[in-house]
Amino acid sequence: MIDENLPTFYLRPSSDNVKYNASVLLSQYGSEAAPAYSLRHPDPASPSSKNRYAAALYDSYHPDILYGEVLLIPEWTQPSLSQEEIRKNGGVPPPPQPILPPSFVIQLYNPEQQAVVRQGVSKWSATPQWVFEMPQQSFRQPSVASIDRTQSDPTASETTPKFRFKWKKEGRLSKDYVCSLSGKNTNPDGSKRKNREPDITISIFKHLKEITMYEPNLMRVDIEDPKGLEVVMLLSAIVIREVYNGNMRDTFNVSDVPRRLSGEAAPRKNSYERTRRSRTDAPPSQAPPQPSHPRPPLQIQTIDPRPPPTDPRSQWEIDAESARLKKEVEREERERRHAEHAETKRVKKMLEEEERRARLQQLEIDKETERLKRQFEREQRQAHRNNNAPPPSLPSRPAAATNLLPPNFAGLNYAQPPVQRPHSANPFRPPAGPYLQGPANNASSSVFFGGGSSSHPPRPPEGRRVGSKPSIFGLLGRSNPSGQKLTRKQSAVF
């Protein structure tokens, strides 16, 4: 602060916590800084604020009162025609870069007036400076004559005298700017060679944060609209701070260059790949549900929120986006063809593998069939050989045992259970011992201990009548035609 008694304006962040807005506080005669103006900027996220700078000064207590505003649209570099740079940028020319305009216009309201601020360079110190003019008379003189009402405003008249002001940097390394009133020329003929008054300092912009008005010198300025001069000095100082001493890309809200213009970024999954995978992963039994009532196709109206291109940068963004979308479509088409080729190759390989397995399985079936066929033929030959061989000879029966059998022995029924014989009164008993032996020619020998034959007895000839059934063991004797009876002996077993 130069002097606490002088009116000083401070630029502070906005009290509503909006990043792109600010408050202008006023302090005079040592009082606390109180809000005087509200500085507003358009929302950087809004499409209408791209590639331009705008600022407006509102009343702090009446937000609807607008004192003045400024709109700054930068100039742009011409697109490069170098093929090397186009190739490096993915087939599109490099984006145009903003160029600081040499002048800007401040629009005042009530009354409407425009102040053009032009940038220049000092001849002596080569420091930048900004010059603007303010008319001495801003309001129309009250008059009842209708001819006076048809005349233009004094601010637009060429005959209205004007005061010349300029913002000048104090030094190359300094951050302070001084606004001064250019001295009047006192020569009668209007030449600028001699008799020129010195410049009068009006205000100082200290460290790009506070603006101090030299009120004693400001009273010497014979101007009809001092409020308008104050608004012009505040807005011009703010533009010098934010545009000519700030980051150009942030000031003009220039969007960044898209990273995937060249198509070298990681490819995203296209709709064909997602549909193919979903169909492959889904079980074959499950079919997609079909809607009962077909829906009419939706008509989507795409509205571009961006304004029509009014500068080369917007046009370049449109061209770059069109080129990027074109490359994206071409890349997706290549991926689709590659996926179709890979899918065809996979299906063909799967079919070849199935055919190879089928051939191997058929070879195994043929081999097993041949083996079974050879085995069947071998068994057939063996069975035919056995059928043509002579029947095997039965073992010879002993003569003594054959002669001792009764004539009707062959007609005995072996299926009938043995008949229990009554105990004989013959006291003869065979000798005790581990083996029961009897004479070979004894007709009462048991068939279990050598008396019987190992083979079945011969069947009696057909037509022969079988006599009475003897005992099962042939020990009770047999019928004698002569009527003689043999004595019955007791069995060795029972």
Side-chain angles (χ1 to χ4, degrees):
M1 180 182 294
I2 300 176
D3 190 353
E4 62 179 7
N5 295 321
L6 298 177
T8 305
F9 295 93
Y10 301 92
L11 299 178
R12 295 290 184 266
S14 177
S15 58
D16 54 1
N17 297 327
V18 179
K19 185 178 180 180
Y20 49 85
N21 290 340
S23 297
V24 181
L25 308 181
L26 174 61
S27 175
Q28 189 177 9
Y29 303 116
S31 63
E32 293 183 0
Y37 298 99
S38 176
L39 179 63
R40 302 180 188 178
H41 296 283
D43 187 3
S46 175
S48 59
S49 64
K50 298 293 183 181
N51 306 323
R52 61 194 61 201
Y53 170 84
L57 210 59
Y58 287 82
D59 188 85
S60 182
Y61 298 99
H62 300 85
D64 296 336
I65 299 179
L66 174 62
Y67 291 107
E69 62 182 359
V70 58
L71 176 62
L72 202 62
I73 298 177
E75 298 179 358
W76 302 91
T77 58
Q78 296 297 326
S80 176
L81 300 179
S82 175
Q83 296 298 327
E84 183 68 18
E85 294 183 1
I86 295 176
R87 184 183 62 82
K88 289 181 179 179
N89 201 47
V92 296
Q97 300 299 327
I99 300 175
L100 288 175
S103 63
F104 58 92
V105 178
I106 298 176
Q107 177 69 41
L108 300 178
Y109 296 97
N110 198 19
E112 293 188 2
Q113 178 183 345
Q114 288 186 351
V116 181
V117 182
R118 295 180 176 85
Q119 184 185 12
V121 180
S122 177
K123 296 181 179 179
W124 299 98
S125 59
T127 56
Q129 61 181 8
W130 290 265
V131 181
F132 62 94
E133 294 180 349
M134 290 293 294
Q136 184 177 1
Q137 183 182 356
S138 301
F139 302 98
R140 184 180 299 179
Q141 293 291 338
S143 175
V144 295
S146 58
I147 191 172
D148 294 337
R149 297 178 183 178
T150 58
Q151 294 180 356
S152 60
D153 294 336
T155 56
S157 177
E158 295 291 340
T159 60
T160 303
K162 298 180 180 179
F163 292 97
R164 184 183 178 90
F165 301 90
K166 62 179 178 182
W167 284 100
K168 183 179 179 181
K169 196 173 184 180
E170 290 188 347
R172 293 184 178 180
L173 301 179
S174 176
K175 292 184 178 181
D176 298 340
Y177 291 84
V178 177
C179 182
S180 58
L181 173 63
S182 298
K184 296 180 180 180
N185 190 6
T186 58
N187 291 340
D189 56 353
S191 62
K192 300 181 180 179
R193 297 179 60 184
K194 294 181 180 179
N195 301 327
R196 182 174 178 272
E197 296 181 357
D199 297 341
I200 302 173
T201 302
I202 302 299
S203 63
I204 295 179
F205 194 11
K206 192 75 172 175
H207 301 298
L208 301 177
K209 292 182 180 180
E210 56 185 39
I211 303 173
T212 303
M213 300 291 182
Y214 276 91
E215 195 173 15
N217 294 343
L218 192 60
M219 298 299 293
R220 297 173 57 184
V221 180
D222 187 12
I223 194 170
E224 194 176 31
D225 186 14
K227 185 69 173 181
L229 177 60
E230 179 180 300
V231 172
V232 170
M233 285 193 296
L234 288 176
L235 280 177
S236 59
I238 291 171
V239 171
I240 292 172
R241 171 197 176 189
E242 294 181 351
V243 176
Y244 294 93
N245 290 276
N247 188 2
M248 193 180 305
R249 299 184 63 87
D250 296 339
T251 301
F252 291 104
N253 197 16
V254 178
S255 58
D256 296 333
V257 179
R259 296 182 178 180
R260 291 190 296 179
L261 283 179
S262 60
E264 298 177 357
R268 63 181 180 89
K269 297 181 180 178
N270 52 14
S271 58
Y272 172 78
E273 186 70 17
R274 290 194 296 267
T275 306
R276 188 184 66 82
R277 290 189 177 183
S278 62
R279 292 178 180 176
T280 305
D281 298 341
S285 60
Q286 297 180 0
Q290 299 294 337
S292 57
H293 301 285
R295 299 180 178 179
L298 298 178
Q299 298 180 358
I300 302 176
Q301 298 179 357
T302 58
I303 301 177
D304 192 357
R306 299 177 300 179
T310 57
D311 52 78
R313 178 74 183 196
S314 300
Q315 185 63 39
W316 177 88
E317 290 178 357
I318 295 175
D319 297 341
E321 183 68 14
S322 302
R324 187 188 68 83
L325 293 178
K326 183 178 179 180
K327 288 191 175 183
E328 191 75 14
V329 171
E330 293 176 356
R331 184 180 59 80
E332 289 187 358
E333 184 66 20
R334 289 195 303 269
E335 289 181 356
R336 187 184 63 81
R337 290 197 298 266
H338 179 72
E340 289 180 354
H341 178 71
E343 183 69 14
T344 305
K345 188 176 180 181
R346 186 186 66 83
V347 173
K348 183 178 179 181
K349 186 176 180 181
M350 182 178 64
L351 294 177
E352 292 177 354
E353 183 67 19
E354 290 181 357
E355 292 179 358
R356 186 182 66 82
R357 292 180 181 177
R359 288 196 300 269
L360 293 178
Q361 187 176 5
Q362 187 64 32
L363 289 176
E364 293 180 358
I365 292 174
D366 297 343
K367 185 177 179 181
E368 183 67 16
T369 303
E370 292 295 332
R371 187 187 67 80
L372 294 177
K373 184 177 179 180
R374 288 194 300 269
Q375 181 180 357
F376 179 74
E377 291 177 354
R378 186 168 57 252
E379 292 179 355
Q380 287 290 102
R381 290 194 299 270
Q382 185 68 23
H384 183 69
R385 190 181 299 112
N386 293 339
N387 293 335
N388 295 335
S393 59
L394 297 176
S396 60
R397 184 175 298 174
T402 305
N403 296 331
L404 294 176
L405 290 176
N408 58 353
F409 182 78
L412 297 178
N413 188 4
Y414 293 95
Q416 297 180 359
V419 180
Q420 187 175 5
R421 297 171 300 173
H423 292 283
S424 175
N426 191 2
F428 175 76
R429 293 291 185 272
Y435 302 99
L436 299 178
Q437 299 178 358
N441 54 0
N442 194 356
S444 63
S445 300
S446 174
V447 296
F448 295 99
F449 298 98
S453 174
S454 60
S455 61
H456 297 284
R459 299 179 61 181
E462 295 181 2
R464 182 178 179 180
R465 190 174 183 178
V466 181
S468 61
K469 294 181 180 180
S471 173
I472 190 172
F473 296 100
L475 301 177
L476 297 179
R478 55 187 174 181
S479 61
N480 191 357
S482 60
Q484 298 179 359
K485 294 182 180 180
L486 297 178
T487 59
R488 185 175 56 187
K489 293 186 180 181
Q490 190 174 0
S491 174
V493 179
F494 301 94

